[in-house]
Amino acid sequence: MFSWLFISLVITILLTPGPTNTLLASSGIESGVRKSLKLIPSEAVGYFLAITIWGVLIDYVSETLPILPSLLKLLSASYIIFLALKLWKTSTVAVDLNQPSIGPKSLFCATLLNPKALLFASAVFPVSSWSVWQAYAVHMGLFLCLIVPIALFWIFIGSVLVNNNIQWFNQKNLQRTASLVLVSFSVPLSYSAFLSI
């Protein structure tokens, strides 16, 4: 019912640094792992709402404009390549993780407005997710399950980076690895978009 490509894309995109992950890492630095756990439900609800709204909207509009899902897939593949290039270029620039105290409300808003939600709805979730209830439930359930360990990972990264105990575990290596993985996933996404045009 779900594919390994779906799982791989979700994990890769969720691992990519962005507004939500920066806030999670900041909270890990500021409050530690245990106190930051309260932020994970805010991320899950934010993504759940944003992806669902985008998915339903895209499904509704694609009835009158059938080429829209393919165009959005191509746009999403382009966005993934843009993210990859940006990650590579900024891998040596220090990220400001010393932000004001992060609460569930600010993390929810950052996630709700995160452009990754459109990417998930238009290119990662299968088209059937927006018309078949069972497909939606399986993919959304799996997505929400994957959020938890990845959010924990980002919180943990914040707590580790503040101590800087592991030399190879640094921002540059993390971002460049994520950049290469993103490029590798943009290829099958573009290919599938071209096949469906």
Side-chain angles (χ1 to χ4, degrees), residues 8-28:
S8 303
L9 281 169
V10 168
I11 291 171
T12 304
I13 294 167
L14 282 178
L15 281 173
T16 305
T20 301
N21 293 336
T22 302
L23 291 175
L24 289 169
S26 299
S27 183

Side-chain angles (χ1 to χ4, degrees), residues 2 5-6 12 20 42 46 50 60 74 95 101 109-110 120 133 138 152-153 159 194 197:
F2 62 86
L5 179 62
F6 172 79
T12 304
T20 301
S42 298
Y60 178 75
L74 282 173
V95 177
S101 185
C109 290
F120 285 123
W133 166 247
V138 167
L152 281 170
F153 173 76
S159 67
F194 279 120
I197 290 180

Side-chain angles (χ1 to χ4, degrees), residues 2-185:
F2 62 86
S3 70
W4 288 108
L5 179 62
F6 172 79
I7 293 171
S8 303
L9 281 169
V10 168
I11 291 171
T12 304
I13 294 167
L14 282 178
L15 281 173
T16 305
T20 301
N21 293 336
T22 302
L23 291 175
L24 289 169
S26 299
S27 183
I29 287 172
E30 184 184 297
S31 308
V33 174
R34 198 158 32 99
K35 288 185 179 175
S36 300
L37 294 177
K38 66 181 183 216
L39 299 175
I40 296 174
S42 298
E43 179 185 9
V45 172
Y47 269 130
F48 171 77
L49 290 174
I51 291 169
T52 303
I53 291 167
W54 276 116
V56 169
L57 185 65
I58 291 166
D59 185 55
Y60 178 75
V61 173
S62 65
E63 288 178 16
T64 56
L65 191 61
I67 198 165
L68 181 68
S70 299
L71 292 176
L72 285 172
K73 268 190 182 180
L74 282 173
L75 184 65
S76 296
S78 302
Y79 177 68
I80 288 175
I81 290 172
F82 165 77
L83 273 179
L85 292 172
K86 185 178 173 187
L87 279 174
W88 190 273
K89 281 188 200 174
T90 61
S91 64
T92 56
V93 178
V95 177
D96 179 22
L97 295 173
N98 298 317
Q99 300 190 13
S101 185
I102 292 97
K105 188 175 179 181
S106 58
L107 188 80
F108 169 77
C109 290
T111 305
L112 190 64
L113 301 173
N114 195 327
K116 289 181 187 178
L118 174 59
L119 177 63
F120 285 123
S122 64
V124 177
F125 276 67
V127 176
S128 63
S129 299
W130 313 118
S131 55
V132 179
W133 166 247
Q134 292 86 349
Y136 170 80
V138 167
H139 287 90
M140 185 56 79
L142 185 57
F143 177 85
L144 293 173
C145 288
L146 291 170
I147 280 179
V148 176
I150 293 169
L152 281 170
F153 173 76
W154 276 102
I155 292 168
F156 176 73
I157 279 183
S159 67
V160 168
L161 288 179
V162 77
N163 296 327
N164 203 15
N165 291 335
I166 307 169
Q167 193 171 4
W168 59 266
F169 193 66
N170 57 46
Q171 175 192 337
K172 180 181 175 184
N173 291 342
L174 287 171
Q175 284 192 219
R176 289 197 169 178
T177 302
S179 176
L180 293 172
V181 172
L182 281 175
V183 169
S184 72
F185 280 116

